[in-house]
Amino acid sequence: MDDGSREALRKQYGIKEDEIVFVYVGRMAKEKNIEELLWYQKSVQNNIKLVLVGDGPYRTTLEEKAKEYQVTDSVIFIGMVSPDEVARYYQIGDLFVSASTSETQGMTYDEALAGGVPLLCRKDDCLKEVVMEGKNGWQYENESMYLECIQKWKEFSEDEKRRMRNTAVRTADQFSKESFAKRVERVYLAALEERKRRNVYAA
């Protein structure tokens, strides 16, 4: 998506040109831990908008929590968008955020990276080979780490931010179907070799 349509979308939702945007894309369920992002928003809402794209059984609760935490002015609930539009909403963000620790495939992480959107995600085993700390994003374990990562992003020059976005795109290549197939093949062949060695030793 070109910069014009990105800016048009941000303008549509009342996002100012100088505001930082955190975007979450996905199902709104309790296990996604989106409430944590709302709580952290209390500390950063002066110049950061949190954009939540998607729907689910926990959305009403999250909207109530946003009111309770007094962050409604800095949180935007987009709701469900069509699959054809999802890529545009990734692009609205400066960083993709997630507090989930229940991901199995983590497709949204891969999609965000493919769109050149660095990650800011709660530390999770599924992200070991996904997040390159300080290069295509960060992982955090608590609020202080979350805020520290945000400060690093703010202090980056435009060139540093551009490099991080470019690295995000490059690292997303490893999740293409072709790369995935190659990784599976390598694991399979390694398993076969291990079985052969065990059979030899057993003999």
Side-chain angles (χ1 to χ4, degrees), residues 6 20-22 48 93-95 116-120 135-138 147-158 160-165:
R6 176 181 187 267
I20 297 171
V21 176
F22 292 170
I48 294 175
D94 294 291
L95 295 173
V117 184
L119 309 177
L120 175 55
K135 295 181 179 180
N136 70 351
W138 296 277
L147 297 177
E148 182 181 332
C149 293
I150 293 172
Q151 189 59 36
K152 288 178 181 178
W153 175 260
K154 288 181 176 180
E155 292 174 357
F156 274 179
S157 67
E158 287 305 313
E160 288 173 317
K161 290 177 180 178
R162 189 177 300 110
R163 281 197 293 272
M164 187 173 245
R165 294 186 190 104

PDB file of all heavy atoms in Angstrom, residues 6 20-22 48 93-95 116-120 135-138 147-158 160-165:
ATOM      1  N   ARG A   6      -2.153   4.960   3.176  1.00  0.00           N
ATOM      2  CA  ARG A   6      -1.873   4.785   4.600  1.00  0.00           C
ATOM      3  C   ARG A   6      -2.279   6.045   5.358  1.00  0.00           C
ATOM      4  O   ARG A   6      -2.966   5.973   6.380  1.00  0.00           O
ATOM      5  CB  ARG A   6      -0.393   4.493   4.808  1.00  0.00           C
ATOM      6  CG  ARG A   6       0.022   4.383   6.287  1.00  0.00           C
ATOM      7  CD  ARG A   6       1.514   4.111   6.391  1.00  0.00           C
ATOM      8  NE  ARG A   6       1.910   3.838   7.756  1.00  0.00           N
ATOM      9  CZ  ARG A   6       2.353   4.743   8.614  1.00  0.00           C
ATOM     10  NH1 ARG A   6       2.444   6.010   8.242  1.00  0.00           N
ATOM     11  NH2 ARG A   6       2.701   4.403   9.839  1.00  0.00           N
ATOM     12  N   ILE A  20       2.211   8.186  17.084  1.00  0.00           N
ATOM     13  CA  ILE A  20       2.676   6.815  16.869  1.00  0.00           C
ATOM     14  C   ILE A  20       1.466   5.892  16.970  1.00  0.00           C
ATOM     15  O   ILE A  20       0.609   6.078  17.841  1.00  0.00           O
ATOM     16  CB  ILE A  20       3.732   6.433  17.925  1.00  0.00           C
ATOM     17  CG1 ILE A  20       4.966   7.337  17.792  1.00  0.00           C
ATOM     18  CG2 ILE A  20       4.136   4.965  17.790  1.00  0.00           C
ATOM     19  CD1 ILE A  20       5.958   7.181  18.927  1.00  0.00           C
ATOM     20  N   VAL A  21       1.419   4.913  16.089  1.00  0.00           N
ATOM     21  CA  VAL A  21       0.281   3.982  16.081  1.00  0.00           C
ATOM     22  C   VAL A  21       0.749   2.563  16.362  1.00  0.00           C
ATOM     23  O   VAL A  21       1.630   2.035  15.677  1.00  0.00           O
ATOM     24  CB  VAL A  21      -0.463   4.027  14.732  1.00  0.00           C
ATOM     25  CG1 VAL A  21      -1.585   2.992  14.717  1.00  0.00           C
ATOM     26  CG2 VAL A  21      -1.033   5.416  14.477  1.00  0.00           C
ATOM     27  N   PHE A  22       0.152   1.963  17.383  1.00  0.00           N
ATOM     28  CA  PHE A  22       0.326   0.542  17.649  1.00  0.00           C
ATOM     29  C   PHE A  22      -0.898  -0.176  17.099  1.00  0.00           C
ATOM     30  O   PHE A  22      -2.032   0.230  17.382  1.00  0.00           O
ATOM     31  CB  PHE A  22       0.421   0.261  19.157  1.00  0.00           C
ATOM     32  CG  PHE A  22       1.670   0.793  19.804  1.00  0.00           C
ATOM     33  CD1 PHE A  22       1.786   0.800  21.185  1.00  0.00           C
ATOM     34  CD2 PHE A  22       2.730   1.282  19.059  1.00  0.00           C
ATOM     35  CE1 PHE A  22       2.935   1.273  21.800  1.00  0.00           C
ATOM     36  CE2 PHE A  22       3.875   1.757  19.657  1.00  0.00           C
ATOM     37  CZ  PHE A  22       3.975   1.756  21.038  1.00  0.00           C
ATOM     38  N   ILE A  48       0.439   8.199  21.618  1.00  0.00           N
ATOM     39  CA  ILE A  48       0.355   6.890  20.971  1.00  0.00           C
ATOM     40  C   ILE A  48      -1.098   6.443  20.887  1.00  0.00           C
ATOM     41  O   ILE A  48      -1.824   6.464  21.882  1.00  0.00           O
ATOM     42  CB  ILE A  48       1.176   5.830  21.736  1.00  0.00           C
ATOM     43  CG1 ILE A  48       2.672   6.163  21.648  1.00  0.00           C
ATOM     44  CG2 ILE A  48       0.911   4.436  21.185  1.00  0.00           C
ATOM     45  CD1 ILE A  48       3.555   5.244  22.466  1.00  0.00           C
ATOM     46  N   GLY A  93      -0.107   0.883  11.189  1.00  0.00           N
ATOM     47  CA  GLY A  93       0.691   0.870  12.406  1.00  0.00           C
ATOM     48  C   GLY A  93       2.164   1.171  12.202  1.00  0.00           C
ATOM     49  O   GLY A  93       2.742   0.859  11.165  1.00  0.00           O
ATOM     50  N   ASP A  94       2.773   1.755  13.210  1.00  0.00           N
ATOM     51  CA  ASP A  94       4.223   1.908  13.259  1.00  0.00           C
ATOM     52  C   ASP A  94       4.837   0.646  13.847  1.00  0.00           C
ATOM     53  O   ASP A  94       5.921   0.222  13.441  1.00  0.00           O
ATOM     54  CB  ASP A  94       4.594   3.120  14.117  1.00  0.00           C
ATOM     55  CG  ASP A  94       4.122   4.425  13.489  1.00  0.00           C
ATOM     56  OD1 ASP A  94       4.681   4.810  12.443  1.00  0.00           O
ATOM     57  OD2 ASP A  94       3.173   5.034  14.016  1.00  0.00           O
ATOM     58  N   LEU A  95       4.137   0.063  14.824  1.00  0.00           N
ATOM     59  CA  LEU A  95       4.548  -1.200  15.433  1.00  0.00           C
ATOM     60  C   LEU A  95       3.330  -2.106  15.570  1.00  0.00           C
ATOM     61  O   LEU A  95       2.223  -1.624  15.832  1.00  0.00           O
ATOM     62  CB  LEU A  95       5.159  -0.976  16.813  1.00  0.00           C
ATOM     63  CG  LEU A  95       6.481  -0.193  16.907  1.00  0.00           C
ATOM     64  CD1 LEU A  95       6.828   0.063  18.369  1.00  0.00           C
ATOM     65  CD2 LEU A  95       7.606  -0.944  16.213  1.00  0.00           C
ATOM     66  N   GLY A 116       6.199  -4.969   6.614  1.00  0.00           N
ATOM     67  CA  GLY A 116       7.200  -4.006   7.042  1.00  0.00           C
ATOM     68  C   GLY A 116       6.873  -3.330   8.352  1.00  0.00           C
ATOM     69  O   GLY A 116       7.331  -2.209   8.614  1.00  0.00           O
ATOM     70  N   VAL A 117       6.097  -4.009   9.195  1.00  0.00           N
ATOM     71  CA  VAL A 117       5.713  -3.449  10.498  1.00  0.00           C
ATOM     72  C   VAL A 117       6.453  -4.221  11.597  1.00  0.00           C
ATOM     73  O   VAL A 117       6.164  -5.398  11.829  1.00  0.00           O
ATOM     74  CB  VAL A 117       4.191  -3.543  10.728  1.00  0.00           C
ATOM     75  CG1 VAL A 117       3.812  -2.855  12.038  1.00  0.00           C
ATOM     76  CG2 VAL A 117       3.432  -2.922   9.561  1.00  0.00           C
ATOM     77  N   PRO A 118       7.417  -3.607  12.264  1.00  0.00           N
ATOM     78  CA  PRO A 118       8.160  -4.281  13.336  1.00  0.00           C
ATOM     79  C   PRO A 118       7.234  -4.708  14.477  1.00  0.00           C
ATOM     80  O   PRO A 118       6.131  -4.182  14.648  1.00  0.00           O
ATOM     81  CB  PRO A 118       9.159  -3.216  13.799  1.00  0.00           C
ATOM     82  CG  PRO A 118       9.293  -2.290  12.630  1.00  0.00           C
ATOM     83  CD  PRO A 118       7.924  -2.249  12.013  1.00  0.00           C
ATOM     84  N   LEU A 119       7.715  -5.662  15.274  1.00  0.00           N
ATOM     85  CA  LEU A 119       6.908  -6.269  16.329  1.00  0.00           C
ATOM     86  C   LEU A 119       7.276  -5.743  17.709  1.00  0.00           C
ATOM     87  O   LEU A 119       8.438  -5.477  17.999  1.00  0.00           O
ATOM     88  CB  LEU A 119       7.099  -7.790  16.325  1.00  0.00           C
ATOM     89  CG  LEU A 119       6.921  -8.526  14.997  1.00  0.00           C
ATOM     90  CD1 LEU A 119       7.234 -10.011  15.183  1.00  0.00           C
ATOM     91  CD2 LEU A 119       5.502  -8.340  14.469  1.00  0.00           C
ATOM     92  N   LEU A 120       6.261  -5.640  18.562  1.00  0.00           N
ATOM     93  CA  LEU A 120       6.461  -5.394  19.990  1.00  0.00           C
ATOM     94  C   LEU A 120       5.525  -6.363  20.689  1.00  0.00           C
ATOM     95  O   LEU A 120       4.327  -6.108  20.820  1.00  0.00           O
ATOM     96  CB  LEU A 120       6.137  -3.943  20.357  1.00  0.00           C
ATOM     97  CG  LEU A 120       6.202  -3.582  21.851  1.00  0.00           C
ATOM     98  CD1 LEU A 120       7.557  -3.954  22.437  1.00  0.00           C
ATOM     99  CD2 LEU A 120       5.896  -2.115  22.069  1.00  0.00           C
ATOM    100  N   LYS A 135      16.181  -5.500  15.855  1.00  0.00           N
ATOM    101  CA  LYS A 135      16.384  -5.498  14.403  1.00  0.00           C
ATOM    102  C   LYS A 135      15.061  -5.527  13.638  1.00  0.00           C
ATOM    103  O   LYS A 135      14.872  -4.790  12.680  1.00  0.00           O
ATOM    104  CB  LYS A 135      17.264  -6.670  13.993  1.00  0.00           C
ATOM    105  CG  LYS A 135      18.682  -6.566  14.558  1.00  0.00           C
ATOM    106  CD  LYS A 135      19.537  -7.729  14.121  1.00  0.00           C
ATOM    107  CE  LYS A 135      20.961  -7.595  14.672  1.00  0.00           C
ATOM    108  NZ  LYS A 135      21.822  -8.723  14.253  1.00  0.00           N
ATOM    109  N   ASN A 136      14.148  -6.410  14.056  1.00  0.00           N
ATOM    110  CA  ASN A 136      12.811  -6.413  13.443  1.00  0.00           C
ATOM    111  C   ASN A 136      11.715  -6.272  14.496  1.00  0.00           C
ATOM    112  O   ASN A 136      10.541  -6.437  14.195  1.00  0.00           O
ATOM    113  CB  ASN A 136      12.582  -7.664  12.592  1.00  0.00           C
ATOM    114  CG  ASN A 136      12.463  -8.933  13.424  1.00  0.00           C
ATOM    115  OD1 ASN A 136      12.706  -8.919  14.639  1.00  0.00           O
ATOM    116  ND2 ASN A 136      12.099 -10.026  12.791  1.00  0.00           N
ATOM    117  N   GLY A 137      12.138  -5.962  15.716  1.00  0.00           N
ATOM    118  CA  GLY A 137      11.162  -5.791  16.793  1.00  0.00           C
ATOM    119  C   GLY A 137      11.763  -6.103  18.152  1.00  0.00           C
ATOM    120  O   GLY A 137      12.979  -6.249  18.288  1.00  0.00           O
ATOM    121  N   TRP A 138      10.885  -6.237  19.131  1.00  0.00           N
ATOM    122  CA  TRP A 138      11.304  -6.532  20.500  1.00  0.00           C
ATOM    123  C   TRP A 138      10.296  -7.464  21.162  1.00  0.00           C
ATOM    124  O   TRP A 138       9.119  -7.521  20.774  1.00  0.00           O
ATOM    125  CB  TRP A 138      11.359  -5.261  21.344  1.00  0.00           C
ATOM    126  CG  TRP A 138      12.365  -4.252  20.917  1.00  0.00           C
ATOM    127  CD1 TRP A 138      13.700  -4.225  21.216  1.00  0.00           C
ATOM    128  CD2 TRP A 138      12.115  -3.074  20.140  1.00  0.00           C
ATOM    129  NE1 TRP A 138      14.290  -3.114  20.667  1.00  0.00           N
ATOM    130  CE2 TRP A 138      13.334  -2.386  19.988  1.00  0.00           C
ATOM    131  CE3 TRP A 138      10.972  -2.529  19.543  1.00  0.00           C
ATOM    132  CZ2 TRP A 138      13.462  -1.199  19.284  1.00  0.00           C
ATOM    133  CZ3 TRP A 138      11.089  -1.340  18.828  1.00  0.00           C
ATOM    134  CH2 TRP A 138      12.316  -0.691  18.712  1.00  0.00           C
ATOM    135  N   LEU A 147       7.642  -0.306  28.055  1.00  0.00           N
ATOM    136  CA  LEU A 147       7.878   1.138  27.958  1.00  0.00           C
ATOM    137  C   LEU A 147       9.301   1.431  27.474  1.00  0.00           C
ATOM    138  O   LEU A 147       9.528   2.390  26.728  1.00  0.00           O
ATOM    139  CB  LEU A 147       7.632   1.799  29.310  1.00  0.00           C
ATOM    140  CG  LEU A 147       6.203   1.692  29.851  1.00  0.00           C
ATOM    141  CD1 LEU A 147       6.115   2.325  31.236  1.00  0.00           C
ATOM    142  CD2 LEU A 147       5.205   2.335  28.897  1.00  0.00           C
ATOM    143  N   GLU A 148      10.239   0.599  27.880  1.00  0.00           N
ATOM    144  CA  GLU A 148      11.625   0.780  27.448  1.00  0.00           C
ATOM    145  C   GLU A 148      11.755   0.587  25.933  1.00  0.00           C
ATOM    146  O   GLU A 148      12.453   1.345  25.260  1.00  0.00           O
ATOM    147  CB  GLU A 148      12.524  -0.227  28.178  1.00  0.00           C
ATOM    148  CG  GLU A 148      13.999  -0.103  27.836  1.00  0.00           C
ATOM    149  CD  GLU A 148      14.837  -1.132  28.570  1.00  0.00           C
ATOM    150  OE1 GLU A 148      14.425  -1.557  29.675  1.00  0.00           O
ATOM    151  OE2 GLU A 148      15.901  -1.507  28.048  1.00  0.00           O
ATOM    152  N   CYS A 149      11.064  -0.413  25.406  1.00  0.00           N
ATOM    153  CA  CYS A 149      11.096  -0.663  23.960  1.00  0.00           C
ATOM    154  C   CYS A 149      10.473   0.502  23.195  1.00  0.00           C
ATOM    155  O   CYS A 149      10.975   0.897  22.132  1.00  0.00           O
ATOM    156  CB  CYS A 149      10.351  -1.961  23.630  1.00  0.00           C
ATOM    157  SG  CYS A 149      11.165  -3.456  24.254  1.00  0.00           S
ATOM    158  N   ILE A 150       9.402   1.033  23.743  1.00  0.00           N
ATOM    159  CA  ILE A 150       8.751   2.176  23.106  1.00  0.00           C
ATOM    160  C   ILE A 150       9.704   3.367  23.075  1.00  0.00           C
ATOM    161  O   ILE A 150       9.798   4.079  22.067  1.00  0.00           O
ATOM    162  CB  ILE A 150       7.452   2.549  23.853  1.00  0.00           C
ATOM    163  CG1 ILE A 150       6.422   1.431  23.701  1.00  0.00           C
ATOM    164  CG2 ILE A 150       6.886   3.871  23.334  1.00  0.00           C
ATOM    165  CD1 ILE A 150       5.188   1.621  24.570  1.00  0.00           C
ATOM    166  N   GLN A 151      10.417   3.574  24.157  1.00  0.00           N
ATOM    167  CA  GLN A 151      11.360   4.686  24.215  1.00  0.00           C
ATOM    168  C   GLN A 151      12.457   4.519  23.163  1.00  0.00           C
ATOM    169  O   GLN A 151      12.884   5.487  22.529  1.00  0.00           O
ATOM    170  CB  GLN A 151      11.972   4.799  25.613  1.00  0.00           C
ATOM    171  CG  GLN A 151      12.792   6.045  25.835  1.00  0.00           C
ATOM    172  CD  GLN A 151      11.987   7.325  25.633  1.00  0.00           C
ATOM    173  OE1 GLN A 151      10.813   7.393  25.966  1.00  0.00           O
ATOM    174  NE2 GLN A 151      12.629   8.334  25.071  1.00  0.00           N
ATOM    175  N   LYS A 152      12.911   3.287  22.984  1.00  0.00           N
ATOM    176  CA  LYS A 152      13.936   3.026  21.964  1.00  0.00           C
ATOM    177  C   LYS A 152      13.415   3.405  20.585  1.00  0.00           C
ATOM    178  O   LYS A 152      14.128   4.020  19.788  1.00  0.00           O
ATOM    179  CB  LYS A 152      14.330   1.545  21.991  1.00  0.00           C
ATOM    180  CG  LYS A 152      15.139   1.134  23.189  1.00  0.00           C
ATOM    181  CD  LYS A 152      15.446  -0.356  23.150  1.00  0.00           C
ATOM    182  CE  LYS A 152      16.238  -0.797  24.380  1.00  0.00           C
ATOM    183  NZ  LYS A 152      16.495  -2.249  24.382  1.00  0.00           N
ATOM    184  N   TRP A 153      12.168   3.020  20.302  1.00  0.00           N
ATOM    185  CA  TRP A 153      11.574   3.350  19.003  1.00  0.00           C
ATOM    186  C   TRP A 153      11.490   4.864  18.819  1.00  0.00           C
ATOM    187  O   TRP A 153      11.806   5.387  17.756  1.00  0.00           O
ATOM    188  CB  TRP A 153      10.194   2.717  18.888  1.00  0.00           C
ATOM    189  CG  TRP A 153       9.455   3.092  17.629  1.00  0.00           C
ATOM    190  CD1 TRP A 153       8.480   4.028  17.487  1.00  0.00           C
ATOM    191  CD2 TRP A 153       9.663   2.538  16.326  1.00  0.00           C
ATOM    192  NE1 TRP A 153       8.050   4.101  16.181  1.00  0.00           N
ATOM    193  CE2 TRP A 153       8.756   3.191  15.452  1.00  0.00           C
ATOM    194  CE3 TRP A 153      10.503   1.554  15.808  1.00  0.00           C
ATOM    195  CZ2 TRP A 153       8.688   2.890  14.088  1.00  0.00           C
ATOM    196  CZ3 TRP A 153      10.434   1.255  14.455  1.00  0.00           C
ATOM    197  CH2 TRP A 153       9.537   1.915  13.613  1.00  0.00           C
ATOM    198  N   LYS A 154      11.088   5.553  19.864  1.00  0.00           N
ATOM    199  CA  LYS A 154      10.973   7.009  19.787  1.00  0.00           C
ATOM    200  C   LYS A 154      12.316   7.669  19.515  1.00  0.00           C
ATOM    201  O   LYS A 154      12.392   8.694  18.828  1.00  0.00           O
ATOM    202  CB  LYS A 154      10.386   7.565  21.089  1.00  0.00           C
ATOM    203  CG  LYS A 154       8.907   7.276  21.299  1.00  0.00           C
ATOM    204  CD  LYS A 154       8.442   7.889  22.610  1.00  0.00           C
ATOM    205  CE  LYS A 154       6.957   7.714  22.826  1.00  0.00           C
ATOM    206  NZ  LYS A 154       6.508   8.303  24.109  1.00  0.00           N
ATOM    207  N   GLU A 155      13.368   7.083  20.068  1.00  0.00           N
ATOM    208  CA  GLU A 155      14.695   7.680  19.936  1.00  0.00           C
ATOM    209  C   GLU A 155      15.379   7.327  18.624  1.00  0.00           C
ATOM    210  O   GLU A 155      16.396   7.929  18.269  1.00  0.00           O
ATOM    211  CB  GLU A 155      15.582   7.251  21.116  1.00  0.00           C
ATOM    212  CG  GLU A 155      15.119   7.835  22.446  1.00  0.00           C
ATOM    213  CD  GLU A 155      15.887   7.299  23.634  1.00  0.00           C
ATOM    214  OE1 GLU A 155      16.763   6.415  23.416  1.00  0.00           O
ATOM    215  OE2 GLU A 155      15.631   7.751  24.762  1.00  0.00           O
ATOM    216  N   PHE A 156      14.836   6.359  17.903  1.00  0.00           N
ATOM    217  CA  PHE A 156      15.399   6.000  16.608  1.00  0.00           C
ATOM    218  C   PHE A 156      15.288   7.164  15.628  1.00  0.00           C
ATOM    219  O   PHE A 156      14.291   7.893  15.615  1.00  0.00           O
ATOM    220  CB  PHE A 156      14.655   4.806  16.012  1.00  0.00           C
ATOM    221  CG  PHE A 156      15.170   3.464  16.451  1.00  0.00           C
ATOM    222  CD1 PHE A 156      14.556   2.300  16.000  1.00  0.00           C
ATOM    223  CD2 PHE A 156      16.254   3.331  17.294  1.00  0.00           C
ATOM    224  CE1 PHE A 156      15.005   1.061  16.387  1.00  0.00           C
ATOM    225  CE2 PHE A 156      16.715   2.095  17.700  1.00  0.00           C
ATOM    226  CZ  PHE A 156      16.094   0.954  17.241  1.00  0.00           C
ATOM    227  N   SER A 157      16.287   7.308  14.793  1.00  0.00           N
ATOM    228  CA  SER A 157      16.195   8.263  13.689  1.00  0.00           C
ATOM    229  C   SER A 157      15.290   7.655  12.620  1.00  0.00           C
ATOM    230  O   SER A 157      14.961   6.456  12.662  1.00  0.00           O
ATOM    231  CB  SER A 157      17.580   8.513  13.105  1.00  0.00           C
ATOM    232  OG  SER A 157      18.069   7.330  12.482  1.00  0.00           O
ATOM    233  N   GLU A 158      14.900   8.446  11.658  1.00  0.00           N
ATOM    234  CA  GLU A 158      14.064   7.931  10.578  1.00  0.00           C
ATOM    235  C   GLU A 158      14.785   6.842   9.798  1.00  0.00           C
ATOM    236  O   GLU A 158      14.175   5.874   9.350  1.00  0.00           O
ATOM    237  CB  GLU A 158      13.626   9.065   9.648  1.00  0.00           C
ATOM    238  CG  GLU A 158      12.563   9.978  10.250  1.00  0.00           C
ATOM    239  CD  GLU A 158      11.340   9.203  10.726  1.00  0.00           C
ATOM    240  OE1 GLU A 158      10.842   8.347   9.977  1.00  0.00           O
ATOM    241  OE2 GLU A 158      10.884   9.455  11.860  1.00  0.00           O
ATOM    242  N   GLU A 160      16.994   4.747  11.034  1.00  0.00           N
ATOM    243  CA  GLU A 160      16.987   3.540  11.869  1.00  0.00           C
ATOM    244  C   GLU A 160      15.627   2.855  11.813  1.00  0.00           C
ATOM    245  O   GLU A 160      15.544   1.620  11.745  1.00  0.00           O
ATOM    246  CB  GLU A 160      17.351   3.901  13.311  1.00  0.00           C
ATOM    247  CG  GLU A 160      18.812   4.270  13.489  1.00  0.00           C
ATOM    248  CD  GLU A 160      19.120   4.795  14.876  1.00  0.00           C
ATOM    249  OE1 GLU A 160      18.336   5.613  15.410  1.00  0.00           O
ATOM    250  OE2 GLU A 160      20.151   4.381  15.444  1.00  0.00           O
ATOM    251  N   LYS A 161      14.563   3.637  11.825  1.00  0.00           N
ATOM    252  CA  LYS A 161      13.226   3.059  11.710  1.00  0.00           C
ATOM    253  C   LYS A 161      13.043   2.393  10.350  1.00  0.00           C
ATOM    254  O   LYS A 161      12.457   1.305  10.244  1.00  0.00           O
ATOM    255  CB  LYS A 161      12.164   4.142  11.914  1.00  0.00           C
ATOM    256  CG  LYS A 161      12.076   4.667  13.337  1.00  0.00           C
ATOM    257  CD  LYS A 161      11.047   5.782  13.459  1.00  0.00           C
ATOM    258  CE  LYS A 161      10.975   6.296  14.891  1.00  0.00           C
ATOM    259  NZ  LYS A 161      10.016   7.409  15.044  1.00  0.00           N
ATOM    260  N   ARG A 162      13.556   3.036   9.315  1.00  0.00           N
ATOM    261  CA  ARG A 162      13.450   2.478   7.965  1.00  0.00           C
ATOM    262  C   ARG A 162      14.207   1.156   7.871  1.00  0.00           C
ATOM    263  O   ARG A 162      13.724   0.191   7.262  1.00  0.00           O
ATOM    264  CB  ARG A 162      13.988   3.480   6.953  1.00  0.00           C
ATOM    265  CG  ARG A 162      13.718   3.086   5.499  1.00  0.00           C
ATOM    266  CD  ARG A 162      14.205   4.159   4.539  1.00  0.00           C
ATOM    267  NE  ARG A 162      13.529   5.426   4.788  1.00  0.00           N
ATOM    268  CZ  ARG A 162      14.113   6.499   5.310  1.00  0.00           C
ATOM    269  NH1 ARG A 162      15.389   6.459   5.641  1.00  0.00           N
ATOM    270  NH2 ARG A 162      13.430   7.616   5.507  1.00  0.00           N
ATOM    271  N   ARG A 163      15.384   1.096   8.483  1.00  0.00           N
ATOM    272  CA  ARG A 163      16.156  -0.150   8.470  1.00  0.00           C
ATOM    273  C   ARG A 163      15.409  -1.260   9.178  1.00  0.00           C
ATOM    274  O   ARG A 163      15.421  -2.411   8.747  1.00  0.00           O
ATOM    275  CB  ARG A 163      17.531   0.073   9.117  1.00  0.00           C
ATOM    276  CG  ARG A 163      18.535   0.746   8.206  1.00  0.00           C
ATOM    277  CD  ARG A 163      19.952   0.563   8.723  1.00  0.00           C
ATOM    278  NE  ARG A 163      20.173   1.269   9.971  1.00  0.00           N
ATOM    279  CZ  ARG A 163      20.574   2.538  10.042  1.00  0.00           C
ATOM    280  NH1 ARG A 163      20.793   3.226   8.930  1.00  0.00           N
ATOM    281  NH2 ARG A 163      20.770   3.120  11.209  1.00  0.00           N
ATOM    282  N   MET A 164      14.755  -0.908  10.288  1.00  0.00           N
ATOM    283  CA  MET A 164      14.002  -1.914  11.029  1.00  0.00           C
ATOM    284  C   MET A 164      12.826  -2.422  10.201  1.00  0.00           C
ATOM    285  O   MET A 164      12.538  -3.627  10.191  1.00  0.00           O
ATOM    286  CB  MET A 164      13.526  -1.344  12.371  1.00  0.00           C
ATOM    287  CG  MET A 164      12.879  -2.375  13.280  1.00  0.00           C
ATOM    288  SD  MET A 164      12.507  -1.701  14.937  1.00  0.00           S
ATOM    289  CE  MET A 164      13.600  -2.705  15.942  1.00  0.00           C
ATOM    290  N   ARG A 165      12.157  -1.536   9.507  1.00  0.00           N
ATOM    291  CA  ARG A 165      11.045  -1.955   8.640  1.00  0.00           C
ATOM    292  C   ARG A 165      11.546  -2.861   7.516  1.00  0.00           C
ATOM    293  O   ARG A 165      10.917  -3.878   7.193  1.00  0.00           O
ATOM    294  CB  ARG A 165      10.352  -0.722   8.051  1.00  0.00           C
ATOM    295  CG  ARG A 165       9.639   0.161   9.071  1.00  0.00           C
ATOM    296  CD  ARG A 165       8.856   1.271   8.377  1.00  0.00           C
ATOM    297  NE  ARG A 165       8.366   2.247   9.333  1.00  0.00           N
ATOM    298  CZ  ARG A 165       8.894   3.463   9.511  1.00  0.00           C
ATOM    299  NH1 ARG A 165       9.920   3.859   8.770  1.00  0.00           N
ATOM    300  NH2 ARG A 165       8.382   4.292  10.399  1.00  0.00           N
TER     301      ARG A 165
END
